[in-house]
Amino acid sequence: MYDSPIMIITGTSKGVGRGMASFFLSKGYTVFGCSRGAATIESERYHHTQVDVGDEKQVRSWVRLIKTLCTRIDVLVCNAGVVESVLYMTATPASVVESYLHTNIAGTYYVCREVAKAMMLQKSGRIVTISSIMTRLHEPGTSVYAPTKSAVEEMTKVLAAELAPTGITCNVVALAMVSTGASSSFGEEWKNRMLERQTLKRPVTIEEICHVVSFYTSPESGGVTGQVLYMGLVT
């Protein structure tokens, strides 16, 4: 039995997911994280499982294990996602399309669905999904990525309506540029172009993201659901 609040975060081996896990561990949460690779966080309150979120059976088994160990799940942050390329549509192969669909859409769907089942039984919970301001910028080279994140936003709004009678809230944080390995891999020219298109002409920090997530997941935020917060951008 765990006395601290229970949080699930997907995609915790690096980047924003790893930063969020470390942040919420520092706030007293017990965090269950996952990625396709091994754990990169060491804490007695952090528990890692290697999971492909796009694999329905793996997700179901993982969430059931957490539910068995903890009897409840207080917060889900569905962060795992693919950012593989900035190819124009005419140059994007099927393998890239399928990878985005597998992780960004199917992965988010399976994790939200399985955690929602557990939260419905306890009649409480907070679900936060991670999107991107690319859904508003229509940037060339994001013809696969941006639509999958638009799907995440719509999925979350529908789930918010479905779960509202049970006291569960579902909201979205749409990220601006963040200085991570994924964004750096596209080069300085691309990074500078994206920053120029933002309202805030700088990357947002992982700590800033965590504070937005904290607002959504607070017990006092029960009146906020089905919302998308676009960081660093006036929409």
Side-chain angles (χ1 to χ4, degrees), residues 134-151:
M134 291 299 168
T135 63
R136 292 295 176 267
L137 295 181
H138 317 299
E139 177 67 20
T142 66
S143 63
V144 183
Y145 176 72
T148 62
K149 289 302 186 179
S150 292

Side-chain angles (χ1 to χ4, degrees), residues 21-36:
S22 297
F23 178 90
F24 286 103
L25 285 167
S26 74
K27 300 299 181 182
Y29 282 80
T30 293
V31 176
F32 287 81
C34 77
S35 66
R36 294 181 185 179

Side-chain angles (χ1 to χ4, degrees), residues 125-126 164 167-171 215-216 218-227:
R126 300 281 185 264
I168 300 163
T169 65
C170 307
N171 293 287
F215 165 71
Y216 276 149
S218 166
E220 291 76 29
S221 295
V224 181
T225 197
Q227 302 303 304

Side-chain angles (χ1 to χ4, degrees), residues 9-198:
I9 305 176
T10 62
T12 52
S13 65
K14 57 186 178 181
V16 173
R18 188 180 192 281
M20 284 196 290
S22 297
F23 178 90
F24 286 103
L25 285 167
S26 74
K27 300 299 181 182
Y29 282 80
T30 293
V31 176
F32 287 81
C34 77
S35 66
R36 294 181 185 179
T40 59
I41 298 171
E42 292 186 8
S43 169
E44 62 181 12
R45 284 183 288 103
Y46 178 74
H47 308 274
H48 189 86
T49 305
Q50 290 184 236
V51 176
D52 176 357
V53 295
D55 186 309
E56 182 183 20
K57 292 182 180 179
Q58 290 186 37
V59 170
R60 185 182 294 120
S61 296
W62 179 53
V63 175
R64 286 179 177 175
L65 173 63
I66 296 169
K67 180 64 176 176
T68 299
L69 291 173
C70 304
T71 73
R72 73 184 193 283
I73 300 169
D74 299 301
V75 177
L76 165 65
V77 181
C78 215
N79 163 77
V82 173
V83 187
E84 290 185 343
S85 69
V86 287
L87 296 173
Y88 278 36
M89 181 183 287
T90 51
T92 302
S95 59
V96 171
V97 176
E98 291 165 1
S99 177
Y100 277 102
L101 296 175
H102 178 83
T103 301
N104 294 6
I105 297 182
T108 300
Y109 194 97
Y110 296 147
V111 174
C112 285
R113 186 190 67 190
E114 295 305 312
V115 172
K117 291 177 185 177
M119 288 181 171
M120 288 175 69
L121 294 174
Q122 64 197 33
K123 298 186 183 303
S124 65
R126 300 281 185 264
I127 295 174
V128 178
T129 59
I130 301 299
S131 181
S132 167
I133 64 171
M134 291 299 168
T135 63
R136 292 295 176 267
L137 295 181
H138 317 299
E139 177 67 20
T142 66
S143 63
V144 183
Y145 176 72
T148 62
K149 289 302 186 179
S150 292
V152 167
E153 293 178 12
E154 182 62 18
M155 185 191 310
T156 306
K157 291 178 181 181
V158 172
L159 187 60
E162 292 178 350
L163 297 181
T166 66
I168 300 163
T169 65
C170 307
N171 293 287
V172 185
V173 181
L175 304 185
M177 170 67 70
V178 188
S179 293
T180 63
S183 62
S184 298
S185 67
F186 298 137
E188 286 299 311
E189 181 181 351
W190 182 86
K191 178 179 176 180
N192 291 335
R193 188 170 76 251
M194 293 303 97
L195 290 176
E196 186 57 33
R197 298 202 64 188
Q198 292 181 191

